[in-house]
Amino acid sequence: MASRAKKGLITDWWWSIDRWFLAAFLVLMIGGMVLSFAASPPVAEKIGLEPFHFVKRHALFLFPSIVAMLATSLLSPRGIRRMSVIMLGGALLLMVLALFFGMEVKGARRWMSFGPLTIQPSEFMKPSFVVVCAWLFAERSRRKDVPGNLFSIMLLFVVCALLVAQPDLGQTILTTGVWGGLFFMAGLPWLWIVVLGGIGVAGFGLAYFVFPHVASRIDRFTTGEGDTFQTDTAKEAIMRGGWLGQGPGEGTVKRLLPDSHTDFAYSVIAEEFGIISCMALTAVFCFIVIRGLNVAFQQRDTFCRLAISGLVMLFGLQSIINMAVNLQLMPAKGMTLPFISYGGSSMLAVAIGAGFVLALTRKRPENASQTDRLVDRTLVFHGAPAAAR
């Protein structure tokens, strides 16, 4: 174990990192790898690939994701801001290019292909968008002459316009919801709440009448009529699993789900490992969100407080949407379960967001209480060589 008295990049990182967060993220990442063995082979066989095709690809993205998370966690808050600005600019540019040159899958243009590598730019947009908006709100609270709120609204409209053009209404709702939570935490006036709430309701109604697939999904959810095969099959898998599940590899309903390795991985977990395992998995997600908000409220720096809150809200809301679809609590929407579902872009982007959280929650002198500082000085004093005292 590295001594706390010794100075160095890795030593400072180890003693300042929030190990509860680190452990929770690693549990989800490793758990997602294990669960891919249960969810992805039937899908691979169905489309004519060798059984462990998606398992291997999941493993291929796992190592770079862990490296990205750990590397990002070494950054300072200033480094986080700079990285987010660059990543957001690159993601928005790729989202524009995807509309003209991207791959079309099921009527949507969300992916850019670079040889064997396929990227979904909107996944990388989300964590960087949250950090940049947190920075704009923080600057507005620090200096009233900075139009941070106006810039964040303009940025939101740009992002939503690109997402709707793909189209990707689920990501639009997710991004807008997190942005609204950030704006509220930054001191949003009640007049703005009413105005923006009205715009949101109007936008939702407009989407229902403009996009046939949105109206179809909402109608199927509210009436139970039409093609509800995926959601009904997911519900059947959950019910068949019971409390303890059918056992690893013993699930049968999962073979009927076209997206069992992505959107409906939660249902596969329920069928093979049981409802208790799903509850344990949900508890990990809840722990990350609750601890994140608790740590955020203890931050003295406004930017760190807003950025941490926004990132864990993004993580939690995306998880809620995926689980709610699997449990038939909301209309079907293709959205991955962070670290659990298959998807290289999603895993890497979520890992970067997790790295942002780890970096921003590290113990720093400016956020330490007077008692913490006294303890640190005592530890360093007793751990130092006699000649140095």
Side-chain angles (χ1 to χ4, degrees):
M1 182 67 66
S3 171
R4 194 168 185 174
K6 297 179 180 179
K7 294 297 181 180
L9 181 63
I10 302 301
T11 302
D12 291 343
W13 174 86
W14 174 251
W15 286 110
S16 62
I17 202 73
D18 190 314
R19 296 184 197 124
W20 286 106
F21 268 134
L22 181 61
F25 289 135
L26 289 176
V27 164
L28 289 178
M29 296 174 87
I30 296 172
M33 181 68 243
V34 174
L35 293 170
S36 69
F37 282 92
S40 61
V43 179
E45 292 176 350
K46 191 178 300 182
I47 60 178
L49 300 173
E50 61 101 4
F52 294 104
H53 171 80
F54 292 113
V55 176
K56 293 176 181 177
R57 289 187 62 85
H58 193 108
L60 182 65
F61 284 106
L62 178 62
F63 179 73
S65 297
I66 293 177
V67 172
M69 180 180 71
L70 297 179
T72 307
S73 69
L74 294 169
L75 296 175
S76 64
R78 178 178 293 181
I80 294 294
R81 289 195 294 268
R82 290 176 176 175
M83 178 178 174
S84 296
V85 170
I86 295 172
M87 189 165 72
L88 179 60
L92 292 178
L93 176 61
L94 288 177
M95 288 172 69
V96 172
L97 294 177
L99 297 176
F100 301 97
F101 309 106
M103 300 170 54
E104 183 173 349
V105 180
K106 298 180 180 179
R109 291 185 177 272
R110 306 171 188 169
W111 298 268
M112 288 292 293
S113 180
F114 301 93
L117 184 64
T118 302
I119 296 176
Q120 186 174 353
S122 59
E123 293 290 346
F124 297 93
M125 174 275 299
K126 292 185 292 185
S128 56
F129 171 78
V130 168
V131 172
V132 170
C133 285
W135 177 41
L136 291 172
F137 290 140
E139 287 299 304
R140 175 65 176 82
S141 66
R142 189 174 66 88
R143 295 178 52 189
K144 301 302 181 184
D145 59 320
V146 176
N149 292 357
L150 176 61
F151 286 160
S152 70
I153 293 173
M154 294 170 60
L155 185 58
L156 175 68
F157 277 112
V158 170
V159 168
C160 288
L162 290 174
L163 288 173
V164 171
Q166 289 182 349
D168 194 340
L169 273 298
Q171 298 282 25
T172 305
I173 294 172
L174 173 63
T175 305
T176 305
V178 175
W179 180 88
L182 270 178
F183 205 171
F184 181 80
M185 294 179 63
L188 174 68
W190 283 104
L191 177 61
W192 278 96
I193 294 177
V194 174
V195 171
L196 294 175
I199 294 175
V201 173
F204 185 80
L206 184 64
Y208 179 84
F209 291 106
V210 172
F211 297 101
H213 70 283
V214 174
S216 175
R217 290 179 178 181
I218 294 176
D219 290 341
R220 290 198 302 263
F221 175 75
T222 54
T223 65
E225 300 176 355
D227 183 10
T228 58
F229 174 77
Q230 288 217 77
T231 53
D232 290 342
T233 307
K235 181 180 178 181
E236 182 183 351
I238 294 173
M239 295 179 64
R240 188 175 183 276
W243 288 104
L244 300 177
Q246 298 294 316
E250 298 299 322
T252 57
V253 179
K254 67 180 183 182
R255 299 182 180 278
L256 304 176
L257 277 170
D259 299 317
S260 63
H261 62 318
T262 54
D263 304 341
F264 293 96
Y266 193 75
S267 298
V268 177
I269 297 170
E271 182 182 16
E272 298 206 349
F273 300 95
I275 296 176
I276 291 180
S277 296
C278 288
M279 293 170 65
L281 179 64
T282 305
V284 177
F285 285 109
C286 290
F287 169 79
I288 291 173
V289 175
I290 293 173
R291 182 171 180 81
L293 294 175
N294 183 52
V295 172
F297 292 147
Q298 297 174 12
Q299 300 291 314
R300 296 184 179 183
D301 183 72
T302 304
F303 164 70
C304 289
R305 181 168 63 251
L306 292 175
I308 295 168
S309 301
L311 289 167
V312 296
M313 281 194 294
L314 175 67
F315 190 85
L317 186 56
Q318 181 169 333
S319 306
I320 289 173
I321 292 174
N322 179 278
M323 295 178 190
V325 169
N326 278 259
L327 296 170
Q328 287 190 335
L329 296 178
M330 65 178 297
K333 173 66 196 80
M335 191 168 293
T336 58
L337 186 60
F339 288 137
I340 302 299
S341 299
Y342 169 80
S345 294
S346 174
M347 184 187 298
L348 187 57
V350 173
I352 292 174
F356 286 168
V357 173
L358 291 172
L360 294 169
T361 55
R362 286 172 58 187
K363 298 181 181 68
R364 292 184 175 85
E366 61 268 24
N367 286 324
S369 65
Q370 188 173 358
T371 304
D372 292 336
R373 294 173 184 172
L374 180 60
V375 170
D376 287 343
R377 291 171 184 169
T378 304
L379 289 171
V380 171
F381 176 79
H382 287 294
R389 297 177 190 173

